[in-house]
Every structure is written in structure tokens, then in C-alpha cells.
Amino acid sequence: MTMFQKDDHVAIMRHAMSLATKSPPKPTNFRVGAVLLKLDDLTLTTDGFTLECPGNTHAEESCFIKLAEQHGTTEERLAEAVSSPHALYTTMEPCFKRLSGKIPCVERVLRQKSWITKVYVGIQEPETFVGQNTGRRVLEEAGIEVHLVPGLEAEILQIATAGHLAPEA
């Protein structure tokens, strides 16, 4: 069982970064890592990364899929199975729009707002694919605290954009 120290947001974000490096580099997505941490005892409940699960899965989505499997339920019914408060740590803020047509991660987090009470992000989503991300505002308006974990932005962006084509000069 992985445990973290109280308020050691950088260590938790570094764990999420290590997960992001497991995601295959592609020009069409960001490599993101995510961690769900139980707030009462600071244990890691599950973690995930972009494309970990079958399909075009995002890191947060992979966490929810794996947690649902642990509880013998579906992602949609996770709020019935999990009651203890959690924090979601993600190297990049949850997406608010997906070009694939799948449910955006902001909506996935909102479905779990009864137990996900805080979200910690390493960087804001670059406007590369879908423009400005309004997810932080949507989460905060729903009563979920959103915090930036500063100091890792350059490293996170380097991991996230591996596989992207360099802009033409």
C-alpha cells in the first residue's frame, strides 16, 4: 500500500509524472498521469495514465475504470461504492472537451464529486487540441477545490508533449 506524507504535493505529483512516462508518445494526445489519494489516511487508492486501459483512455478515466473494477461496479456507479473523501492529482488539468466524442474528464470528475473533493494539477492544458480549457472553473463552481502544484511545469510539459511534432520554422 503506497502512502504519502501530508501536504507533500510535489511527491504525489512526481508519482503521477512517473506514470505519464508510461503512456506511449503520440502526436495526437498528451501523456498524463493521475493519482487518486484517500484523504483520511493519505493512501493511494488507484492511479493511471493516458492510454493505459483499452480504448482512447485519458489518465483520469483509467483511474476510474480501474477503481470501478476493484469495487465490482461501473464508473457511472462509483459514487455509490466510494464514500471516503479523495483528492485527484493529475499532471494536466482534466479536459473539458474531447475530440474523440468520449466523455470529458471534467464530467467524469463531476460524477464523483460526492467523494472527490480536491483536484491538484501540475499544469493547465495547453490549447493545442481544443482551445482554452474551462474545466477548472466548472469544477470550482461545483464545489471541488482545484489547486496548482507549482515548480514542475517544464518537466510535466516535456513529458506530456513527447511525440508531438515540432512546429515548422
Side-chain angles (χ1 to χ4, degrees):
M1 177 182 324
T2 303
M3 294 182 71
F4 292 94
Q5 298 299 311
K6 183 170 174 38
D7 297 326
D8 195 354
H9 306 296
V10 171
I12 301 164
M13 193 60 68
R14 284 206 178 277
H15 178 71
M17 290 166 62
S18 73
L19 294 166
T21 65
K22 296 179 181 183
S23 179
K26 293 177 66 176
T28 55
N29 62 264
F30 294 113
R31 298 166 71 211
V32 176
V35 173
L36 279 169
L37 191 72
K38 198 171 174 184
L39 289 173
D40 60 0
D41 63 6
L42 303 175
T43 57
L44 186 143
T45 302
T46 192
D47 54 26
F49 57 88
T50 305
L51 303 178
E52 178 181 11
C53 296
N56 182 22
T57 55
H58 284 192
E60 301 91 336
E61 181 181 8
S62 292
C63 283
F64 296 140
I65 289 169
K66 290 164 58 178
L67 189 59
E69 288 174 0
Q70 289 174 24
H71 286 278
T73 189
T74 63
E75 179 186 348
E76 295 78 16
R77 299 186 72 135
L78 261 177
E80 297 170 18
V82 180
S83 58
S84 58
H86 280 68
L88 169 67
Y89 285 78
T90 180
T91 56
M92 184 178 293
E93 70 180 311
C95 68
F96 79 103
K97 180 179 180 181
R98 291 183 71 173
L99 297 177
S100 67
K102 291 183 84 177
I103 297 171
C105 293
V106 165
E107 288 183 38
R108 292 176 188 282
V109 173
L110 289 174
R111 288 195 301 207
Q112 313 305 332
K113 72 179 185 175
S114 65
W115 58 277
I116 294 180
T117 59
K118 298 178 182 189
V119 174
Y120 292 89
V121 300
I123 60 171
Q124 290 183 296
E125 180 180 15
E127 296 184 12
T128 308
F129 301 120
V130 294
Q132 184 177 11
N133 186 336
T134 58
R136 179 180 184 142
R137 180 182 47 80
V138 171
L139 293 172
E140 289 175 337
E141 287 174 356
I144 298 172
E145 293 178 30
V146 180
H147 304 276
L148 179 67
V149 178
L152 303 171
E153 295 89 349
E155 289 176 74
I156 290 171
L157 195 56
Q158 183 178 12
I159 293 167
T161 59
H164 289 203
L165 302 174
E168 293 184 21

